[in-house]
Amino acid sequence: YVVLNLQDMLTHTVKGIVELNTIHEHFIDWADMSRVIVVVWPQRIKYEWPEHSFKIVEFSTHQYATWQQYKKYEHELRHAFDVQNKNFEYNYVCMNRHDKPHRRIVYDRLRAYGMAGNCSLQSRGYELAYPNKPFDDYEIEYDNCANLLSLDANFNSALFNIITESQYSEPHGIITEKTFNAIVAGMPFAVIGHQLALEDIKCLGFATFDNVFDEEYDIMDNHSRIDAVINFHPKFINERMSVDDMWEIYEYCTERIIYNREYFFNNFGSDQLSSFQKQLLKIWH
């Protein structure tokens, strides 16, 4: 067998996924395709991939390494984001590091609504309300755990997190530490990412917050999804809520918040590794 591990965003075009097509063309004329295994980060691709080609396995070594690092610093993370440290000031936090088209749109539209949220677009010089790891420092260190700990004041002062994931227009995107950060920080969240991002998060074992947010946006097309997240929840976006109202919503979400954090620290890594092993064994036997 040959196993190729593709652990980053894949390139989608009208002709398909560039990396997968390249691998297929390389092996198809001379190799036994049943003995070629490609490990991909995005979910759902394997169900659409033709049977006559190589085998696809879903597993992210990046996700797993992130979980290992966060697990190592579990005590510090739990302490930093303990409910006793919550001090609600903003309806939401929306942290954006790299300037991407969907993030720029989200940032501009959220800022147009005023001061109900705490937003950033770091690569363009727009920072969060409270100090955190500078853009250049993160680029050099690339330490997601240290970055999350530096965000404690910004996350603890917001009721929920508007996550702008790494991909938006691609049909198969990735779930990254951006989502894990909200989970570890004990925050309800909405996700502005690829279509079916919420479904992918559920498939990873986590709960989403359809008890608070209208999650119909998850199935909407690329032209509608951003507006849907923002316009479905005007009370969360337009005017700053009272502290009492924010605590009421937080307490309503507490069961799912606790479930997500406990599942992440106690089960997520082992479940992902077990799934990886089962997929490989199914191919090998």
Side-chain angles (χ1 to χ4, degrees), residues 200-251:
D200 289 344
I201 292 169
K202 292 175 186 177
C203 287
L204 290 175
F206 299 105
T208 60
F209 292 87
D210 58 355
N211 58 336
V212 176
F213 305 124
D214 184 340
E215 293 186 342
E216 183 183 349
Y217 68 84
D218 194 43
I219 64 173
M220 292 185 172
D221 61 32
N222 294 337
H223 299 290
S224 307
R225 217 155 49 252
I226 291 176
D227 285 337
V229 173
I230 295 173
N231 295 335
F232 275 178
H233 316 295
K235 70 176 182 179
F236 297 142
I237 305 298
N238 293 354
E239 298 179 6
R240 190 171 297 188
M241 292 184 287
S242 70
V243 173
D244 288 343
D245 285 345
M246 285 192 272
W247 273 112
E248 182 178 352
I249 294 171
Y250 179 84
E251 289 168 2

Side-chain angles (χ1 to χ4, degrees), residues 248-265:
E248 182 178 352
I249 294 171
Y250 179 84
E251 289 168 2
Y252 183 65
C253 295
T254 295
E255 183 177 350
R256 298 189 190 198
I257 290 170
I258 293 174
Y259 165 79
N260 280 344
R261 183 151 53 189
E262 295 305 314
Y263 178 76
F264 178 80
F265 280 124

Side-chain angles (χ1 to χ4, degrees), residues 88-261:
F88 293 138
E89 181 180 356
Y90 297 97
N91 295 8
Y92 61 86
V93 62
C94 181
M95 185 190 69
N96 301 279
R97 198 164 54 84
H98 277 290
D99 182 8
K100 295 185 176 184
H102 68 289
R103 291 175 179 165
R104 191 180 316 146
I105 292 170
V106 171
Y107 178 85
D108 289 342
R109 292 188 183 175
L110 289 176
R111 296 313 299 157
Y113 282 102
M115 300 303 293
N118 181 11
C119 304
S120 70
L121 192 54
Q122 266 195 320
S123 63
R124 294 181 68 188
Y126 304 125
E127 297 286 351
L128 293 171
Y130 294 101
N132 58 100
K133 189 170 287 294
F135 179 84
D136 290 337
D137 289 356
Y138 180 87
E139 291 294 293
I140 294 170
E141 298 171 3
Y142 200 76
D143 185 329
N144 286 323
C145 188
N147 187 56
L148 174 56
L149 287 168
S150 80
L151 290 163
D152 59 347
N154 291 289
F155 281 14
N156 285 331
S157 62
L159 169 61
F160 69 95
N161 196 317
I162 298 180
I163 302 165
T164 51
E165 264 294 359
S166 292
Q167 293 176 287
Y168 183 80
S169 60
E170 295 80 0
H172 302 93
I174 57 178
I175 303 302
T176 71
E177 77 285 342
K178 300 167 189 64
T179 298
F180 297 157
N181 287 349
I183 288 169
V184 170
M187 304 182 77
F189 55 81
V191 180
I192 296 177
H194 60 279
Q195 191 178 45
L196 297 180
L198 289 179
E199 191 63 30
D200 289 344
I201 292 169
K202 292 175 186 177
C203 287
L204 290 175
F206 299 105
T208 60
F209 292 87
D210 58 355
N211 58 336
V212 176
F213 305 124
D214 184 340
E215 293 186 342
E216 183 183 349
Y217 68 84
D218 194 43
I219 64 173
M220 292 185 172
D221 61 32
N222 294 337
H223 299 290
S224 307
R225 217 155 49 252
I226 291 176
D227 285 337
V229 173
I230 295 173
N231 295 335
F232 275 178
H233 316 295
K235 70 176 182 179
F236 297 142
I237 305 298
N238 293 354
E239 298 179 6
R240 190 171 297 188
M241 292 184 287
S242 70
V243 173
D244 288 343
D245 285 345
M246 285 192 272
W247 273 112
E248 182 178 352
I249 294 171
Y250 179 84
E251 289 168 2
Y252 183 65
C253 295
T254 295
E255 183 177 350
R256 298 189 190 198
I257 290 170
I258 293 174
Y259 165 79
N260 280 344
R261 183 151 53 189

